[in-house]
Amino acid sequence: MTGPVEVRRVRLGVVLLCHARLDVAAHMARIWVQGGARVAIHVDAKASARSVARMQVELSDLPGIVWSRRHTCDWGRFSLVRATQDAARLLLDSFSDVTHVYLASGACLPLRPVRDLTAFLAQDPDRDHIESVSALDVGWTVGGLNEERFTLFYPLDWRRRRWLFDRLTEWQRRMGIRRRLPKGLTPHLGAQWWCLTVTTLRAILDDPRRAEFDRYFRMVWIPDESYFQTLARRHATRIESHSLTLAKFDHDGRPYQLYDDHALMLEESRCFVARKVWPEAAHLLAHFPRPAGARPDLSAPQPQRIERLINRTVRRRLLGRPGLYMQSRFPRKDAENGKSSAPYAMFQGFSDIFPGFEGWLSAQVDADVHGHLLGPETVEFGGRPQIGPGAISSSTLIRDRDPHGFLTALIRITTRMQVFQFSPRDNQALNWFIATDPNAHIHVVTGAWMLPLLRSDMPFDDIRRVTALLQRAEIAQMDVLNSVWVKARVHVHELSDFLARPQEMLFQSLAQLPRLADAPTDMPQMRDLHGLPELLRRLRNSGLRPRMFGDGLPMPDIPLPERTAAE
């Protein structure tokens, strides 16, 4: 292996762009210089003179550092390109032995020894490492404007004057304005951070048409991601279109900050440099760069794992977790990443037909079976505790303030399936939510809410009034369940049809639920139905038309349970 000989073929120069936390930037500069690199430092003119003086004093013991003329730099403006140009020119003029120039920021942390980077570059010393992708093929830029950033004028600061920036952009579109690119240029985009050979960088800086190119890019949007990326295609002989700096961005275009708990992943990535380090990440700053080995490590960066992790983080931040509703990512209506986190079931009318249905169902399915979670008096958690799973209160006032959050939190809080009872008497606020949730299993026996009224001993006028209210609520619910927007698995039976084949329909409703192996096969005790046909006749004759019980009145013959001698 000729590692030491190859390393001597490369002398690395670094252009370091600094604007804040100059103490951290000084630490980075020291790493580069002590690793054998020459460094040209540009400090944003907005930084205080006192902080710059402290940085210069701190680095005064190191040779191989030059200080570039300061510019006031703004995000997305040509001032960043101008600062890079001036620092790169100063670096080349000051150190004639430099063969490669690495552009980094004061928050870029070298992860591996600088010697490893120079040895890696020495394997192919004529190759330029710069991400450079045709603007016509790019689809990953944040904020749009892939091609338009080159064909419209952008004289305004996007961050400081966003409203005027957007209005001017829209006006240029309406007027059909289209800038003409300088002849011979094909616009390319890429990461701001690159490593160019001195040959390519000198050709860019000394290009006879540089004044023309600078005038053009001065009105391009975010030129620091296109100036060198475009001109490298004009002058480079061999480009590796990938940055050697690990830099990932969130969906707003801001770079992710790296913290102490990222140390292991960064080490496993084998990347040479990472951006952007949190200034208070003391462990990262002390841990990297890793100590140099006996011989230079020529292995290529392997950022795939950490990039996949960050990509999953971006998706999680954009979409959220299914069924998790939180202040930091409250979803827009019908734009949720899943309304709920797991399957659940709602039974309507069954507890009216079978008074002991809740207990019977608990012995049938491997699930948490509750009563009427949306009932008017209290939240009927299974076993009727005052505080339910996950410390969810049984107070109806708390529940009704955010019924969506109540239900989805209950479903998320346990790995077991949640099953609950429902009725037209309950809070109807979740009808659309549940009906459009693919995780929901809905089983309804329409008209079953009438059965408790048979033995209520209420005056007939009160029964008629309650019947009208409950029937109106159930009709509205059926309109929802019959909508074309329904995503839930819905099974609706009219009361007359259910009572004609109660056992068959009852066990059919359990087919898609997790059954217990030793579940009983008998039916629960059915409510006494004597007097139901007569009550329906009286309601009809009083001017109220019962609609949810079955076709025609009187009802079909209903198999009623036999009375005992005591009855």
Side-chain angles (χ1 to χ4, degrees), residues 379-398:
V379 177
E380 297 180 352
F381 293 114
R384 302 301 184 268
Q386 290 297 312
I387 301 297
I392 300 176
S393 172
S394 62
S395 167
T396 58
L397 292 177
I398 297 176

Side-chain angles (χ1 to χ4, degrees), residues 180-197:
R180 180 174 297 178
L181 274 73
K183 186 176 181 181
L185 287 190
T186 301
H188 282 69
L189 296 169
Q192 177 184 0
W193 316 108
W194 41 254
C195 181
L196 296 177
T197 63

Side-chain angles (χ1 to χ4, degrees), residues 156-172:
L156 301 176
D157 188 291
W158 180 79
R159 287 186 169 175
R160 295 182 180 178
R161 310 181 73 178
R162 178 69 180 272
W163 188 86
L164 285 176
F165 180 98
D166 291 341
R167 301 291 81 73
L168 178 59
T169 300
E170 290 296 331
W171 178 81
Q172 292 182 80

Side-chain angles (χ1 to χ4, degrees), residues 6-131:
E6 291 179 343
V7 171
R8 285 195 295 269
R9 293 176 54 195
V10 167
R11 169 67 74 177
L12 186 65
V14 177
V15 171
L16 202 63
L17 302 181
C18 312
H19 72 281
R21 291 304 301 261
L22 299 188
D23 55 333
V24 176
H27 175 76
M28 303 304 181
R30 184 172 293 275
I31 293 174
W32 288 112
V33 173
Q34 291 179 344
R38 314 299 194 191
V39 178
I41 298 177
H42 174 272
V43 180
D44 194 323
K46 289 180 288 189
S48 68
R50 180 178 299 179
S51 62
V52 176
R54 282 199 301 267
M55 183 180 183
Q56 290 175 334
V57 170
E58 185 175 349
L59 298 175
S60 60
D61 62 313
L62 296 177
I65 294 181
V66 291
W67 299 83
S68 175
R69 180 166 63 97
R70 297 171 65 187
H71 297 270
T72 299
C73 297
D74 296 304
W75 183 89
R77 306 307 304 276
F78 191 76
S79 52
L80 281 171
V81 176
R82 178 66 69 193
T84 305
Q85 290 173 328
D86 287 357
R89 171 62 68 189
L90 178 63
L91 181 71
L92 298 181
D93 291 345
S94 302
F95 305 105
S96 59
D97 58 341
V98 167
T99 61
H100 292 72
V101 176
Y102 198 108
L103 178 62
S105 80
C108 290
L109 175 63
L111 303 179
R112 293 165 61 180
V114 177
R115 186 181 65 171
D116 287 1
L117 174 57
T118 56
F120 178 80
L121 296 175
Q123 294 180 103
D124 191 350
D126 296 325
R127 186 181 298 274
D128 294 284
H129 297 266
I130 179 171
E131 186 175 37

Side-chain angles (χ1 to χ4, degrees), residues 203-493:
I204 293 174
L205 298 178
D206 297 335
D207 193 304
R209 298 174 59 194
R210 175 180 161 181
E212 175 191 358
F213 296 151
D214 287 2
R215 282 194 304 271
Y216 171 77
F217 278 97
R218 194 170 287 114
M219 290 296 173
V220 167
W221 193 48
I222 318 181
D224 51 290
E225 294 181 354
S226 59
Y227 181 88
F228 290 97
Q229 293 75 6
T230 298
L231 295 181
R233 291 290 176 180
R234 174 178 170 85
H235 296 289
T237 57
R238 199 157 61 252
I239 287 180
E240 183 70 28
S241 184
H242 194 280
S243 174
L244 294 177
T245 298
L246 174 65
K248 296 294 290 184
F249 298 85
D250 63 15
H251 66 287
D252 291 324
R254 297 184 178 90
Y256 278 98
Q257 290 210 74
L258 301 171
Y259 299 93
D260 286 340
D261 53 356
H262 293 130
L264 180 59
M265 288 187 297
L266 291 174
E267 191 168 345
E268 291 176 349
S269 74
R270 308 298 301 151
C271 291
F272 293 110
V273 181
R275 186 181 188 272
K276 157 180 181 180
V277 175
W278 182 48
E280 305 302 328
H283 174 65
L284 279 188
L285 295 175
H287 187 72
F288 294 107
R290 301 305 298 142
R295 302 173 71 88
D297 181 0
L298 302 179
S299 60
Q302 299 175 358
Q304 295 80 9
R305 180 174 179 269
I306 192 170
E307 287 180 349
R308 285 195 298 268
L309 178 63
I310 293 177
N311 290 337
R312 286 198 298 269
T313 303
V314 173
R315 289 194 296 269
R316 176 66 58 81
R317 182 177 178 185
L318 288 174
L319 300 176
R321 298 179 182 179
L324 179 61
Y325 295 76
M326 51 195 297
Q327 180 272 338
S328 61
R329 196 207 62 81
F330 203 83
R332 293 177 289 112
K333 182 179 181 295
D334 298 327
E336 308 94 342
N337 178 22
K339 292 175 174 289
S340 58
S341 61
Y344 60 98
M346 183 185 85
F347 285 84
Q348 177 172 327
F350 289 77
S351 59
D352 295 321
I353 301 172
F354 308 103
F357 179 73
E358 182 183 340
W360 177 86
L361 186 60
S362 298
Q364 292 284 334
V365 297
D366 183 15
D368 293 335
V369 179
H370 305 282
H372 289 261
L373 292 178
L374 301 173
E377 289 85 17
T378 186
V379 177
E380 297 180 352
F381 293 114
R384 302 301 184 268
Q386 290 297 312
I387 301 297
I392 300 176
S393 172
S394 62
S395 167
T396 58
L397 292 177
I398 297 176
R399 177 201 66 193
D400 293 344
R401 186 171 183 84
D402 180 16
H404 298 79
F406 163 80
L407 180 61
T408 54
L410 178 64
I411 295 170
R412 281 193 60 86
I413 207 65
T414 176
T415 57
R416 287 168 60 85
M417 187 177 189
Q418 302 298 299
V419 180
F420 62 96
Q421 320 304 314
F422 191 68
S423 167
R425 306 177 189 89
D426 298 346
N427 188 325
Q428 305 290 304
L430 294 180
N431 284 348
W432 271 111
F433 180 86
I434 296 175
T436 54
D437 185 1
N439 280 327
H441 296 258
I442 303 175
H443 302 274
V444 180
V445 180
T446 62
W449 46 265
M450 168 69 71
L451 302 184
L453 297 176
L454 288 173
R455 304 290 178 265
S456 65
D457 295 329
M458 294 169 55
F460 177 76
D461 288 344
D462 290 342
I463 291 178
R464 184 187 185 282
R465 180 177 55 83
V466 171
T467 299
L469 292 174
L470 296 181
Q471 180 168 265
R472 190 178 303 120
E474 189 167 65
I475 290 173
Q477 181 195 17
M478 289 304 106
D479 289 340
V480 172
L481 295 181
N482 291 324
S483 167
V484 296
W485 305 108
V486 170
K487 300 291 182 62
R489 298 183 179 183
V490 180
H491 303 274
V492 178
H493 308 286

